[in-house]
PDB file of all heavy atoms in Angstrom:
ATOM      1  N   VAL A  38     -17.664  -0.771  -2.068  1.00 92.00           N
ATOM      2  CA  VAL A  38     -17.508   0.278  -1.077  1.00 92.00           C
ATOM      3  C   VAL A  38     -16.103   0.196  -0.460  1.00 92.00           C
ATOM      4  O   VAL A  38     -15.360   1.221  -0.268  1.00 92.00           O
ATOM      5  CB  VAL A  38     -18.559   0.309  -0.043  1.00 92.00           C
ATOM      6  CG1 VAL A  38     -18.253   1.275   1.095  1.00 92.00           C
ATOM      7  CG2 VAL A  38     -19.909   0.649  -0.704  1.00 92.00           C
ATOM      8  N   GLY A  48      -5.590   7.812  -3.531  1.00 95.00           N
ATOM      9  CA  GLY A  48      -5.636   8.397  -4.840  1.00 95.00           C
ATOM     10  C   GLY A  48      -5.127   9.889  -4.789  1.00 95.00           C
ATOM     11  O   GLY A  48      -4.572  10.378  -5.797  1.00 95.00           O
ATOM     12  N   ARG A  55       1.824  12.980  -8.951  1.00 86.00           N
ATOM     13  CA  ARG A  55       1.732  12.732 -10.414  1.00 86.00           C
ATOM     14  C   ARG A  55       2.262  11.291 -10.649  1.00 86.00           C
ATOM     15  O   ARG A  55       3.144  11.118 -11.522  1.00 86.00           O
ATOM     16  CB  ARG A  55       2.632  13.796 -11.143  1.00 86.00           C
ATOM     17  CG  ARG A  55       2.075  15.159 -10.972  1.00 86.00           C
ATOM     18  CD  ARG A  55       2.930  16.264 -11.676  1.00 86.00           C
ATOM     19  NE  ARG A  55       2.476  17.548 -11.395  1.00 86.00           N
ATOM     20  CZ  ARG A  55       3.034  18.675 -11.827  1.00 86.00           C
ATOM     21  NH1 ARG A  55       4.104  18.620 -12.597  1.00 86.00           N
ATOM     22  NH2 ARG A  55       2.514  19.898 -11.558  1.00 86.00           N
ATOM     23  N   PHE A  59       2.797   5.485 -12.875  1.00 84.00           N
ATOM     24  CA  PHE A  59       3.219   4.443 -11.932  1.00 84.00           C
ATOM     25  C   PHE A  59       2.069   3.527 -11.542  1.00 84.00           C
ATOM     26  O   PHE A  59       2.307   2.350 -11.467  1.00 84.00           O
ATOM     27  CB  PHE A  59       3.830   5.113 -10.693  1.00 84.00           C
ATOM     28  CG  PHE A  59       4.405   4.087  -9.676  1.00 84.00           C
ATOM     29  CD1 PHE A  59       5.611   3.550  -9.858  1.00 84.00           C
ATOM     30  CD2 PHE A  59       3.644   3.784  -8.577  1.00 84.00           C
ATOM     31  CE1 PHE A  59       6.099   2.646  -8.968  1.00 84.00           C
ATOM     32  CE2 PHE A  59       4.146   2.884  -7.633  1.00 84.00           C
ATOM     33  CZ  PHE A  59       5.372   2.377  -7.843  1.00 84.00           C
ATOM     34  N   HIS A  65      -0.558  -3.040 -14.745  1.00 84.00           N
ATOM     35  CA  HIS A  65      -0.121  -4.006 -15.787  1.00 84.00           C
ATOM     36  C   HIS A  65       0.653  -5.161 -15.148  1.00 84.00           C
ATOM     37  O   HIS A  65       0.513  -6.263 -15.627  1.00 84.00           O
ATOM     38  CB  HIS A  65       0.792  -3.224 -16.819  1.00 84.00           C
ATOM     39  CG  HIS A  65      -0.001  -2.268 -17.626  1.00 84.00           C
ATOM     40  ND1 HIS A  65       0.626  -1.366 -18.492  1.00 84.00           N
ATOM     41  CD2 HIS A  65      -1.343  -2.100 -17.815  1.00 84.00           C
ATOM     42  CE1 HIS A  65      -0.300  -0.703 -19.150  1.00 84.00           C
ATOM     43  NE2 HIS A  65      -1.474  -1.064 -18.750  1.00 84.00           N
ATOM     44  N   ALA A  72      -1.034 -14.410 -13.543  1.00 84.00           N
ATOM     45  CA  ALA A  72      -0.542 -15.584 -14.228  1.00 84.00           C
ATOM     46  C   ALA A  72       0.381 -16.425 -13.331  1.00 84.00           C
ATOM     47  O   ALA A  72       0.279 -17.678 -13.293  1.00 84.00           O
ATOM     48  CB  ALA A  72       0.311 -15.135 -15.453  1.00 84.00           C
ATOM     49  N   ALA A  74       0.207 -16.545 -10.058  1.00 86.00           N
ATOM     50  CA  ALA A  74      -0.684 -17.202  -9.002  1.00 86.00           C
ATOM     51  C   ALA A  74      -1.324 -18.393  -9.533  1.00 86.00           C
ATOM     52  O   ALA A  74      -1.471 -19.431  -8.825  1.00 86.00           O
ATOM     53  CB  ALA A  74      -1.625 -16.098  -8.492  1.00 86.00           C
ATOM     54  N   LEU A  76      -0.322 -20.230 -12.010  1.00 82.00           N
ATOM     55  CA  LEU A  76       0.729 -21.258 -12.357  1.00 82.00           C
ATOM     56  C   LEU A  76       1.080 -21.989 -11.069  1.00 82.00           C
ATOM     57  O   LEU A  76       1.227 -23.262 -11.127  1.00 82.00           O
ATOM     58  CB  LEU A  76       1.890 -20.613 -12.985  1.00 82.00           C
ATOM     59  CG  LEU A  76       3.055 -21.489 -13.320  1.00 82.00           C
ATOM     60  CD1 LEU A  76       2.612 -22.559 -14.371  1.00 82.00           C
ATOM     61  CD2 LEU A  76       4.263 -20.722 -13.774  1.00 82.00           C
ATOM     62  N   PHE A  83      -2.240 -12.483  -3.409  1.00 87.00           N
ATOM     63  CA  PHE A  83      -0.885 -12.689  -2.983  1.00 87.00           C
ATOM     64  C   PHE A  83       0.088 -12.568  -4.166  1.00 87.00           C
ATOM     65  O   PHE A  83       1.080 -11.882  -4.087  1.00 87.00           O
ATOM     66  CB  PHE A  83      -0.674 -14.025  -2.254  1.00 87.00           C
ATOM     67  CG  PHE A  83       0.752 -14.325  -1.899  1.00 87.00           C
ATOM     68  CD1 PHE A  83       1.301 -13.760  -0.759  1.00 87.00           C
ATOM     69  CD2 PHE A  83       1.523 -15.173  -2.669  1.00 87.00           C
ATOM     70  CE1 PHE A  83       2.589 -14.045  -0.390  1.00 87.00           C
ATOM     71  CE2 PHE A  83       2.854 -15.407  -2.325  1.00 87.00           C
ATOM     72  CZ  PHE A  83       3.389 -14.872  -1.164  1.00 87.00           C
ATOM     73  N   ALA A  87       2.844  -9.519  -4.724  1.00 88.00           N
ATOM     74  CA  ALA A  87       4.222  -9.790  -4.802  1.00 88.00           C
ATOM     75  C   ALA A  87       4.806  -9.153  -6.103  1.00 88.00           C
ATOM     76  O   ALA A  87       5.929  -8.575  -6.048  1.00 88.00           O
ATOM     77  CB  ALA A  87       4.462 -11.284  -4.855  1.00 88.00           C
ATOM     78  N   MET A  92       7.776  -4.734  -8.858  1.00 84.00           N
ATOM     79  CA  MET A  92       7.769  -3.707  -9.843  1.00 84.00           C
ATOM     80  C   MET A  92       8.197  -2.378  -9.239  1.00 84.00           C
ATOM     81  O   MET A  92       9.038  -1.629  -9.720  1.00 84.00           O
ATOM     82  CB  MET A  92       6.412  -3.523 -10.476  1.00 84.00           C
ATOM     83  CG  MET A  92       6.260  -2.297 -11.370  1.00 84.00           C
ATOM     84  SD  MET A  92       7.113  -2.443 -12.876  1.00 84.00           S
ATOM     85  CE  MET A  92       6.019  -3.612 -13.772  1.00 84.00           C
ATOM     86  N   GLY A  93       7.592  -2.024  -7.986  1.00 78.00           N
ATOM     87  CA  GLY A  93       7.962  -0.803  -7.352  1.00 78.00           C
ATOM     88  C   GLY A  93       9.413  -0.739  -6.879  1.00 78.00           C
ATOM     89  O   GLY A  93      10.049   0.335  -7.048  1.00 78.00           O
ATOM     90  N   ASP A 134     -10.409 -16.871 -16.639  1.00 64.00           N
ATOM     91  CA  ASP A 134      -9.807 -16.284 -15.440  1.00 64.00           C
ATOM     92  C   ASP A 134      -9.158 -14.900 -15.915  1.00 64.00           C
ATOM     93  O   ASP A 134      -9.207 -13.968 -15.180  1.00 64.00           O
ATOM     94  CB  ASP A 134      -8.809 -17.154 -14.799  1.00 64.00           C
ATOM     95  CG  ASP A 134      -9.349 -18.306 -14.164  1.00 64.00           C
ATOM     96  OD1 ASP A 134     -10.451 -18.260 -13.629  1.00 64.00           O
ATOM     97  OD2 ASP A 134      -8.787 -19.469 -14.324  1.00 64.00           O
ATOM     98  N   LEU A 144     -19.636  -9.294  -9.360  1.00 68.00           N
ATOM     99  CA  LEU A 144     -20.832  -9.992  -9.016  1.00 68.00           C
ATOM    100  C   LEU A 144     -20.652 -11.354  -8.552  1.00 68.00           C
ATOM    101  O   LEU A 144     -21.610 -12.042  -8.084  1.00 68.00           O
ATOM    102  CB  LEU A 144     -21.845  -9.970 -10.227  1.00 68.00           C
ATOM    103  CG  LEU A 144     -22.356  -8.543 -10.588  1.00 68.00           C
ATOM    104  CD1 LEU A 144     -23.321  -8.688 -11.773  1.00 68.00           C
ATOM    105  CD2 LEU A 144     -23.090  -7.921  -9.363  1.00 68.00           C
ATOM    106  N   VAL A 145     -19.400 -11.936  -8.635  1.00 75.00           N
ATOM    107  CA  VAL A 145     -19.157 -13.233  -8.119  1.00 75.00           C
ATOM    108  C   VAL A 145     -18.114 -13.192  -6.967  1.00 75.00           C
ATOM    109  O   VAL A 145     -17.308 -14.090  -6.749  1.00 75.00           O
ATOM    110  CB  VAL A 145     -18.645 -14.244  -9.144  1.00 75.00           C
ATOM    111  CG1 VAL A 145     -19.785 -14.505 -10.147  1.00 75.00           C
ATOM    112  CG2 VAL A 145     -17.491 -13.690  -9.946  1.00 75.00           C
ATOM    113  N   ARG A 148     -16.999 -14.652  -0.051  1.00 85.00           N
ATOM    114  CA  ARG A 148     -16.784 -14.167   1.340  1.00 85.00           C
ATOM    115  C   ARG A 148     -15.243 -14.057   1.616  1.00 85.00           C
ATOM    116  O   ARG A 148     -14.776 -13.102   2.292  1.00 85.00           O
ATOM    117  CB  ARG A 148     -17.410 -15.106   2.349  1.00 85.00           C
ATOM    118  CG  ARG A 148     -18.899 -14.966   2.398  1.00 85.00           C
ATOM    119  CD  ARG A 148     -19.523 -15.943   3.406  1.00 85.00           C
ATOM    120  NE  ARG A 148     -20.986 -15.658   3.565  1.00 85.00           N
ATOM    121  CZ  ARG A 148     -21.902 -16.222   2.723  1.00 85.00           C
ATOM    122  NH1 ARG A 148     -21.533 -17.004   1.718  1.00 85.00           N
ATOM    123  NH2 ARG A 148     -23.176 -15.921   2.949  1.00 85.00           N
ATOM    124  N   GLN A 170       0.988  13.011   7.907  1.00 89.00           N
ATOM    125  CA  GLN A 170       1.781  14.275   7.957  1.00 89.00           C
ATOM    126  C   GLN A 170       3.115  14.099   7.279  1.00 89.00           C
ATOM    127  O   GLN A 170       3.570  14.985   6.621  1.00 89.00           O
ATOM    128  CB  GLN A 170       1.926  14.693   9.366  1.00 89.00           C
ATOM    129  CG  GLN A 170       0.581  15.182  10.008  1.00 89.00           C
ATOM    130  CD  GLN A 170       0.020  16.393   9.273  1.00 89.00           C
ATOM    131  OE1 GLN A 170       0.717  17.247   8.770  1.00 89.00           O
ATOM    132  NE2 GLN A 170      -1.311  16.413   9.280  1.00 89.00           N
ATOM    133  N   VAL A 204      -3.932  -2.368  -5.505  1.00 88.00           N
ATOM    134  CA  VAL A 204      -4.024  -3.072  -6.773  1.00 88.00           C
ATOM    135  C   VAL A 204      -4.412  -4.531  -6.521  1.00 88.00           C
ATOM    136  O   VAL A 204      -5.296  -5.141  -7.166  1.00 88.00           O
ATOM    137  CB  VAL A 204      -2.789  -3.001  -7.602  1.00 88.00           C
ATOM    138  CG1 VAL A 204      -2.735  -3.959  -8.716  1.00 88.00           C
ATOM    139  CG2 VAL A 204      -2.508  -1.592  -8.059  1.00 88.00           C
ATOM    140  N   ALA A 241     -12.721  12.831  -2.135  1.00 97.00           N
ATOM    141  CA  ALA A 241     -12.301  11.775  -2.991  1.00 97.00           C
ATOM    142  C   ALA A 241     -12.945  10.385  -2.525  1.00 97.00           C
ATOM    143  O   ALA A 241     -13.446   9.661  -3.315  1.00 97.00           O
ATOM    144  CB  ALA A 241     -10.779  11.625  -3.005  1.00 97.00           C
ATOM    145  N   ALA A 263     -19.785  -4.346 -14.609  1.00 86.00           N
ATOM    146  CA  ALA A 263     -19.862  -3.544 -13.365  1.00 86.00           C
ATOM    147  C   ALA A 263     -18.614  -2.638 -13.252  1.00 86.00           C
ATOM    148  O   ALA A 263     -18.764  -1.434 -12.991  1.00 86.00           O
ATOM    149  CB  ALA A 263     -19.934  -4.487 -12.205  1.00 86.00           C
ATOM    150  N   SER A 266     -18.743   0.270 -15.673  1.00 92.00           N
ATOM    151  CA  SER A 266     -19.844   1.127 -15.245  1.00 92.00           C
ATOM    152  C   SER A 266     -19.495   2.060 -14.052  1.00 92.00           C
ATOM    153  O   SER A 266     -19.901   3.169 -13.960  1.00 92.00           O
ATOM    154  CB  SER A 266     -21.121   0.302 -14.857  1.00 92.00           C
ATOM    155  OG  SER A 266     -21.535  -0.441 -16.051  1.00 92.00           O
ATOM    156  N   CYS A 269     -17.320   4.803 -15.354  1.00 95.00           N
ATOM    157  CA  CYS A 269     -18.151   5.816 -16.079  1.00 95.00           C
ATOM    158  C   CYS A 269     -18.899   6.753 -15.108  1.00 95.00           C
ATOM    159  O   CYS A 269     -19.011   7.970 -15.334  1.00 95.00           O
ATOM    160  CB  CYS A 269     -19.127   5.120 -17.025  1.00 95.00           C
ATOM    161  SG  CYS A 269     -18.450   4.272 -18.472  1.00 95.00           S
ATOM    162  N   ALA A 271     -17.899   7.465 -12.131  1.00 96.00           N
ATOM    163  CA  ALA A 271     -16.817   8.384 -11.594  1.00 96.00           C
ATOM    164  C   ALA A 271     -16.525   9.477 -12.570  1.00 96.00           C
ATOM    165  O   ALA A 271     -16.299  10.627 -12.114  1.00 96.00           O
ATOM    166  CB  ALA A 271     -15.539   7.541 -11.228  1.00 96.00           C
ATOM    167  N   VAL A 279     -15.951  19.637 -12.565  1.00 95.00           N
ATOM    168  CA  VAL A 279     -15.441  20.593 -13.437  1.00 95.00           C
ATOM    169  C   VAL A 279     -16.375  21.734 -13.603  1.00 95.00           C
ATOM    170  O   VAL A 279     -16.066  22.955 -13.550  1.00 95.00           O
ATOM    171  CB  VAL A 279     -15.042  19.945 -14.818  1.00 95.00           C
ATOM    172  CG1 VAL A 279     -14.653  21.062 -15.826  1.00 95.00           C
ATOM    173  CG2 VAL A 279     -13.905  19.003 -14.647  1.00 95.00           C
TER     174      VAL A 279
END
Side-chain angles (χ1 to χ4, degrees):
V38 171
R55 300 178 182 178
F59 181 79
H65 289 172
L76 178 63
F83 176 79
M92 172 73 75
D134 291 322
L144 292 179
V145 293
R148 288 180 173 84
Q170 291 300 326
V204 169
S266 299
C269 287
V279 171

